[in-house]
Amino acid sequence: MRVIVCKDYNEMSEKAFEVMKDVITKNPKAVLGLATGSSPEGLYKCMVRDHEENGTSYQDITTYNLDEYVGLPKNHPESYYTFMHKNLFDHIDIKEENTHLPSGSTQEEADAYEKQWDAVTCDLQLLGIGRNGHIGFNEPGTPFAQTTHIVDLTPSTIEANSRFFDHDINKVPKQAISMGIGSILKAKKILLVASGAEKADAVKAMIEGPATESCPASALQKHDDVVVVLDQAAAAGLDR
């Protein structure tokens, strides 16, 4: 696991973009696993700026997103479909048919998404990390071999996401459809970004703690090619 500590969020985003750009440059037909949330927003801005200024093309890139809320329509302002279009897809030349997000509320629909994922080889999987160490919506206790599944969100995750729903936990969906940890580990390369002091404990457990289901992100210790890009606040608990 390669760990890069940056001074702030902007530098973290730029450094993460360098990792992403290297993959895209080497393989213009790369398959990317993408994530939502505040952590990757800066990286997406870098991708958009690079596309506009340098003409980097995404015409032959294929993307698969980690997760989506259960029960939100695609056009809901807080759906991950909306997030991805607002922050990335609408600003680059990627083909709509090459973008994939999970959807549905049944395990059958989750299995269908996993089958799509199995049919490709992901060149780079982008991740954030939750305060409790979750990746995607894989909460503590999720088996490391878990594939795409329907998740009951924990109270801490619902509370953390309430900031996107007028700080009203009653508006936050209580379930999500998410790639599993086993799905994530299929990627050839994994890039995780984290910023802020509230992520420091989870980052420390991921990197320096044991590989245990109590910290889902610690499963990344089992992968051969992981790059973790942090700002100083998120890295504050590390011994290195």
Side-chain angles (χ1 to χ4, degrees):
M1 190 179 290
R2 178 178 163 218
V3 180
I4 302 170
V5 180
C6 303
K7 66 178 180 180
D8 56 23
Y9 180 85
N10 287 337
E11 185 178 294
M12 178 203 78
S13 300
E14 292 282 357
K15 184 59 67 173
F17 169 67
E18 290 177 15
V19 177
M20 176 73 76
K21 178 70 178 290
D22 181 63
V23 170
I24 294 169
T25 300
K26 289 178 178 176
N27 182 7
K29 296 184 178 181
V31 175
L32 305 178
L34 299 181
T36 55
S38 55
S39 296
E41 277 189 39
L43 165 58
Y44 292 152
K45 287 179 181 176
C46 292
M47 293 169 70
V48 170
R49 185 180 69 236
D50 173 62
H51 169 70
E52 292 174 346
E53 295 180 356
N54 301 314
T56 300
S57 177
Y58 293 82
Q59 283 193 339
D60 296 318
I61 296 291
T62 303
T63 66
Y64 288 82
N65 263 70
L66 276 171
D67 44 28
E68 178 61 280
Y69 288 119
V70 168
L72 286 190
K74 272 186 175 182
N75 60 356
H76 189 284
E78 295 305 331
S79 76
Y80 290 164
Y81 177 91
T82 296
F83 177 97
M84 290 307 305
H85 282 78
K86 177 182 175 183
N87 287 281
L88 184 63
F89 296 157
D90 288 350
H91 309 289
I92 58 177
D93 61 343
I94 195 165
K95 298 171 184 173
E96 179 71 20
E97 62 266 27
N98 287 355
T99 65
H100 304 82
L101 287 92
S103 64
S105 59
T106 68
Q107 187 56 45
E108 289 76 17
E109 288 165 310
D111 290 343
Y113 194 69
E114 185 71 21
K115 189 174 181 179
Q116 290 184 56
W117 184 240
D118 275 339
V120 300
T121 299
C122 178
D123 296 284
L124 177 70
Q125 174 66 64
L126 175 64
L127 299 172
I129 184 171
R131 299 175 193 174
N132 62 2
H134 73 245
I135 47 177
F137 273 121
N138 295 288
E139 302 284 8
T142 303
F144 286 171
Q146 179 70 59
T147 55
T148 304
H149 58 135
I150 304 297
V151 185
D152 293 324
L153 303 187
T154 64
S156 65
T157 296
I158 292 170
E159 189 278 327
N161 287 355
S162 67
R163 68 188 188 277
F164 303 117
F165 293 86
D166 303 321
H167 296 280
D168 183 350
I169 61 172
N170 295 313
K171 294 181 180 179
V172 184
K174 303 305 185 286
Q175 288 186 316
I177 181 170
S178 178
M179 282 189 190
I181 297 171
S183 313
I184 291 166
L185 294 176
K186 293 175 184 177
K188 289 165 62 176
K189 187 184 193 73
I190 294 173
L191 170 63
L192 185 144
V193 292
S195 67
E198 71 276 8
K199 301 293 180 70
D201 288 345
V203 166
K204 182 175 178 63
M206 170 182 66
I207 296 172
E208 296 178 349
T212 170
E213 292 175 2
S214 63
C215 177
S218 67
L220 301 183
Q221 295 175 22
K222 300 177 176 294
H223 195 279
D224 292 335
D225 190 357
V226 178
V227 181
V228 178
V229 187
L230 310 168
D231 67 6
Q232 289 183 345
L238 297 177
D239 292 336
R240 63 187 69 191

